[in-house]
C-alpha cells in the first residue's frame, strides 16, 4: 500500500553535512575511544559475539550500499522463522 | 504547537509532568496498560490498575486541560503467566464502557515466546468480539524484528481484524516498512538508547511520508523523556519542514486514528 500524503522535499546534502559534521565527528570519536578502552583492558574480547557484531556494524558504515541504519538494525536482530507457529503448535 | 502523545504511561509520572506537558502544547494523550516493573500477583491488582487508568488519571490530566485516554490489557511480559492472563482478559469487559477507553493495548510480544503468542491471540479475539481498536507493543532490541513479524503474521491471519484500526508501536528502520505496507498504523517511540532518536524519527518521516505514521514518547517509570515529541517538532522545524507536515504527524494523525473509537471526543480548535 503506497502513501497518499506527499513526502517532504529532499534536503540539500551540503547543508546536512555542515549541520551534522560535528555530531558525526563526536560519534566516531566515541566509537574510537570505546575500541581503545577495550584494547587497554585486561583480557581479549575478539572472539565474543558482541565484539564481532560491532565489527560487522562498522563494516556496514564503510561499504557503498544504502539503507545503513536498516542494515545495522537487521545485523543486530534475531532471525525470523516463518514456520514459528507450527514450531509452537499454534494454529 | 498543539500536539497529542499517543503512547505515554502517566501513572508513572508526576503531576508536575502533566503541567510541563500542558505548557509544551500537549492537548491529549493515550495511556496503554503496561508492566509496573514487577509482576503483579492477582486479578484484583489489575482491576485496581484499570480503575486508576479509567477514573483517576483522566481527572489528573483534566486539571491541566489535557484529555486522557487509555487502553486495557495484560502486557506481554506478564502474559507469560497464562492462567492469570486469562482471568484478566475475562475481567476487561467490565471496563470497556468507561468513557476514556479507546481499545485493547498495549498487547504484543516481549521475548517472542509461545505463551506470549497465545495470550496475544486471545487479546486480539477479545478486541474483535467487542469492536475495539488495538494498540501493539513490539519487542525491544534484538527481539524486535522477529517479534514484529510474528505479530504481523498473527494479525494478518485473522480476517476479522480491520488493519486501519490497529496501531503498531515502537517501529524502527527495520520494521516500519512492512507495518505500513500491510495497511497498519505505525508509531515511532522516541526513547533514549533502546529505541529511536528525534533525528532518526525525522529520517523515517522523510523516507516514508506521513500517512498512518505517528510519534510518541512512551514516557514511563524508566529512563524516558515525556517531552520527547516537542523535541521531534524542533528537529523537523530545524530541517525546514512545513508546519502542515509537522502538524499531520503530531496532531492530525493521532486524531484520525483515535476517531475510529466511539469514546474519542473532538478536541478544541488547535493552535
Ligand atoms: Zn508502553
Amino acid at each position: 500500500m503506497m502513501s497518499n500524503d506527499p513526502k517532504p522535499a529532499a534536503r540539500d546534502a551540503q547543508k546536512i553535512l555542515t549541520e551534522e559534521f560535528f555530531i558525526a565527528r563526536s560519534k566516531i570519536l566515541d566509537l574510537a575511544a570505546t575500541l581503545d578502552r577495550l584494547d587497554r583492558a585486561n583480557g581479549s574480547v575478539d572472539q565474543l559475539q558482541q565484539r564481532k557484531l560491532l565489527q560487522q556494524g562498522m563494516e556496514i558504515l564503510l561499504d557503498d550500499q544504502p539503507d545503513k541504519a536498516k542494515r545495522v538494525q537487521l545485523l543486530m536482530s534475531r532471525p525470523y522463522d516463518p514456520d514459528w507457529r507450527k514450531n509452537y503448535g499454534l494454529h | 504547537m498543539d500536539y497529542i502523545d499517543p503512547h505515554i504511561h502517566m501513572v508513572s509520572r508526576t503531576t508536575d509532568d502533566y503541567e510541563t506537558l500542558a505548557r509544551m502544547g500537549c492537548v491529549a494523550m493515550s495511556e496503554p496498560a503496561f508492566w509496573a516493573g514487577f509482576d503483579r500477583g492477582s486479578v484484583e491488582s489489575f482491576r485496581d490498575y484499570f480503575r486508576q487508568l479509567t477514573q483517576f488519571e483522566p481527572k489528573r490530566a483534566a486539571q491541566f486541560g489535557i484529555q486522557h485516554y487509555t487502553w486495557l490489557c495484560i502486557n506481554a511480559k506478564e502474559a507469560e503467566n497464562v492462567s492469570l492472563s486469562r482471568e484478566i482478559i475475562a475481567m476487561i469487559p467490565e471496563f470497556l464502557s468507561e468513557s476514556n477507553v479507546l481499545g485493547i493495548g498495549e498487547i504484543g510480544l516481549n521475548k517472542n515466546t509461545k505463551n506470549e503468542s497465545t495470550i496475544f491471540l486471545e487479546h486480539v479475539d477479545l478486541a474483535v468480539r467487542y469492536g475495539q481498536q488495538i494498540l501493539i507493543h513490539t519487542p525491544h532490541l534484538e527481539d524486535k524484528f522477529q517479534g514484529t513479524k510474528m505479530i504481523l503474521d498473527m494479525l494478518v491471519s485473522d480476517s476479522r481484524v480491520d488493519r486501519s484500526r490497529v496501531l503498531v508501536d515502537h517501529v524502527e528502520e527495520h520494521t516500519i516498512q512492512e507495518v505500513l505496507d500491510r495497511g497498519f498504523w505505525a508509531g515511532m517511540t522516541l526513547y533514549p538508547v533502546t529505541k529511536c532518536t528525534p533525528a532518526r524519527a525525522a529520517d523515517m518521516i522523510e523516507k516514508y511520508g506521513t500517512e498512518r505514521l505517528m510519534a510518541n514518547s512512551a514516557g514511563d517509570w524508566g529512563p524516558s523523556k515525556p517531552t520527547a515529541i516537542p523535541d521531534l517538532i524542533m528537529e523537523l522545524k530545524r530541517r525546514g519542514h512545513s508546519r502542515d507536515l509537522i502538524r499531520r504527524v503530531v496532531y492530525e494523525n493521532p486524531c484520525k486514528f483515535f476517531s475510529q473509537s466511539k469514546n474519542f471526543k473532538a478536541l478544541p480548535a488547535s493552535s
Side-chain angles (χ1 to χ4, degrees), chain B residues 7 9 34 106 170 218:
Chain B
H7 188 144
H9 301 288
F34 88 137
E106 55 183 302
H170 318 319

